[in-house]
Amino acid sequence: QVQLVESGGGLVQAGGSLRLSCAASGRTFRSYAMGWFRQVPGKERVFVAAINWSGGGIYYADSVKGRFTISRDNAKNTVYLQMNSLKPEDTAVYYCAAGRGTLRLATETGYDFWGQGTQVTVSS
């Protein structure tokens, strides 16, 4: 079992930055791929970014490429999402996820454990 706790969400003006953190429990964190997804009310949860177990494979949704950066610190059991040049359309609840596999990292089916989410609100 892996438990995930997100933090770092909040209210920011358009053009600003936030860094989300996701702290994972368990000694096997380094063996999991990690992902970030987001969801707005009434819509499906969508992929934002993913990083494989070693950090050597990184993937982004087109909507965040060049603005968001995913990284991980296996010594701290933590994955990060640095979000720059934020836009109002980035407003959502952001979820962290952990997956045992290496496939389908851009889809929810690629993950086995999920955090509770953290709200990000970008004002115009």
Side-chain angles (χ1 to χ4, degrees):
Q1 280 282 5
V2 175
Q3 292 185 326
L4 304 171
V5 179
E6 302 97 335
S7 62
L11 174 64
V12 64
Q13 288 189 330
S17 298
L18 282 174
R19 188 176 82 155
L20 305 183
S21 299
C22 174
S25 65
R27 293 174 291 179
T28 58
F29 172 79
R30 63 180 66 246
S31 66
Y32 285 85
M34 301 297 296
W36 286 98
F37 288 71
R38 65 188 183 188
Q39 187 174 28
V40 298
K43 294 191 176 181
E44 294 184 349
R45 192 154 51 184
V46 298
F47 171 73
V48 175
I51 186 168
N52 72 352
W53 66 274
S54 68
I58 292 177
Y59 314 92
Y60 295 102
D62 288 343
S63 59
V64 306
K65 278 181 183 176
R67 300 188 299 122
F68 291 12
T69 302
I70 189 171
S71 62
R72 66 188 298 158
D73 185 338
N74 286 342
K76 295 183 178 179
N77 280 15
T78 302
V79 63
Y80 304 97
L81 186 68
Q82 177 66 44
M83 306 186 295
N84 298 330
S85 302
L86 282 161
K87 305 175 181 180
E89 51 263 43
D90 294 318
T91 295
V93 176
Y94 283 71
Y95 295 90
C96 171
R100 299 185 184 94
T102 59
L103 301 176
R104 303 186 305 276
L105 296 185
T107 67
E108 291 185 296
T109 59
Y111 298 89
D112 304 288
F113 305 102
W114 293 84
Q116 294 300 305
T118 185
Q119 176 71 46
V120 171
T121 302
V122 184
S123 63
S124 57

